[in-house]
């Protein structure tokens, strides 16, 4: 299949028509919408992120738009839809940052307390117990926990990968964390 330039002037099309074309897989409509809204999204993201991250987030947002292109004709305002996606992405990144900061603080605190060889053995045993506990989780909970902790995916991304709702991701993540804590505590008894 060779590239064929579009003869349509997308700038004169009303938004519902652009979204309808996007839903049918029209790459020109997608490109037009990307070029139209990318500067706005980048400008909104810049104060919240290091300068290197907004392009990655913009691409991620538009990738999700492409994946859900069939739903776009039902969107009343594409700009509002994108702004909601940006808002949700910032909330996810903020939650991830808070969790990572807490883990870093906890790790630094733990590392300061590990001073002797017996402490190293205790830490290694605790780590082994945590891995063992994670492997005992039901498959979906284990997958969600690993995607969260090891791969640093957002809740929306995990929901898409696993094929569940964000609510289920939250519920399974809470349950997995609770179960791992309980299993680790029971190993120590």
């Amino acid at each position: 299949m060779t590239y064929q330039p579009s003869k349509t002037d997308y700038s004169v099309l009303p938004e519902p028509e652009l979204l309808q074309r996007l839903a049918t897989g029209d790459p020109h409509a997608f490109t037009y919408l990307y070029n139209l809204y990318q500067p706005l999204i980048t400008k909104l993201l810049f104060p919240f992120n290091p300068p290197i991250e907004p392009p990655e987030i913009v691409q991620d947002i538009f990738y999700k738009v492409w994946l859900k292109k069939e739903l776009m004709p039902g969107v009343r305002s594409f700009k509002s839809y994108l702004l909601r996606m940006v808002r949700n992405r910032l909330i996810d990144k903020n939650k991830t940052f808070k969790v990572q900061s807490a883990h870093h603080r906890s790790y630094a605190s733990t590392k300061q307390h590990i001073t002797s060889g017996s402490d190293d053995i205790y830490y290694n045993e605790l780590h082994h117990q945590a891995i063992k506990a994670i492997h005992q989780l039901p498959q979906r909970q284990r997958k969600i926990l690993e995607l969260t902790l090891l791969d640093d995916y957002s809740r929306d991304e995990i929901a898409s990968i696993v094929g569940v709702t964000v609510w289920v991701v939250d519920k399974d993540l809470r349950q997995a964390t609770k179960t791992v804590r309980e299993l680790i505590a029971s190993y120590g008894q």
Side-chain angles (χ1 to χ4, degrees):
M1 181 177 194
T2 58
Y3 171 75
Q4 302 221 346
S6 174
K7 295 179 177 94
T8 305
D9 181 5
Y10 286 85
S11 65
V12 298
L13 293 178
E15 188 173 273
E17 174 67 21
L18 284 168
L19 297 178
Q20 187 62 46
R21 287 179 180 235
L22 174 62
T24 63
D26 183 342
H28 304 291
F30 178 80
T31 302
Y32 176 78
L33 290 167
Y34 179 89
N35 291 333
L36 180 65
Y37 289 107
Q38 178 271 335
L40 172 66
I41 294 172
T42 302
K43 185 187 261 187
L44 289 171
L45 289 171
F46 189 78
F48 298 103
N49 295 285
I52 196 133
E53 279 194 53
E56 175 188 325
I57 294 173
V58 171
Q59 288 176 357
D60 183 50
I61 287 171
F62 276 95
Y63 175 70
K64 289 178 181 177
V65 166
W66 182 255
L67 290 178
K68 297 179 180 182
K69 63 184 175 284
E70 292 82 14
L71 303 175
M72 292 304 121
V75 173
R76 289 187 182 160
S77 168
F78 188 67
K79 181 178 179 180
S80 296
Y81 181 82
L82 288 176
L83 294 177
R84 168 90 31 159
M85 289 180 77
V86 169
R87 178 185 167 272
N88 291 343
R89 183 61 191 242
L90 287 173
I91 289 169
D92 286 346
K93 286 196 73 62
N94 187 35
K95 287 179 182 176
T96 300
F97 176 75
K98 286 180 180 179
V99 168
Q100 287 175 340
S101 295
H103 286 301
H104 289 295
R105 284 191 304 274
S106 175
Y107 176 74
S109 173
T110 303
K111 194 166 179 140
Q112 289 173 351
H113 288 85
I114 297 176
T115 55
S116 70
S118 63
D119 287 340
D120 286 340
I121 293 169
Y122 174 75
Y123 174 76
N124 287 336
E125 180 62 26
L126 188 61
H127 183 264
H128 176 71
Q129 291 172 356
I131 297 297
K132 187 176 170 184
I134 290 170
H135 285 293
Q136 290 182 13
L137 291 172
Q139 183 179 0
R140 187 175 74 197
Q141 287 182 10
R142 183 174 62 245
K143 178 81 171 167
I144 289 171
L145 189 65
E146 289 172 348
L147 289 170
T148 301
L149 297 178
L150 302 177
D151 299 328
D152 194 32
Y153 281 102
S154 72
R155 295 172 23 241
D156 289 332
E157 292 168 327
I158 293 169
S160 178
I161 291 168
V162 178
V164 297
T165 64
V166 174
W167 182 84
V168 172
V169 169
D170 290 340
K171 181 180 76 70
D172 280 359
L173 190 56
R174 280 191 305 274
Q175 184 59 47
T177 304
K178 179 182 176 189
T179 302
V180 168
R181 284 184 186 140
E182 289 171 353
L183 287 170
I184 290 172
S186 72
Y187 293 143
Q189 296 176 353

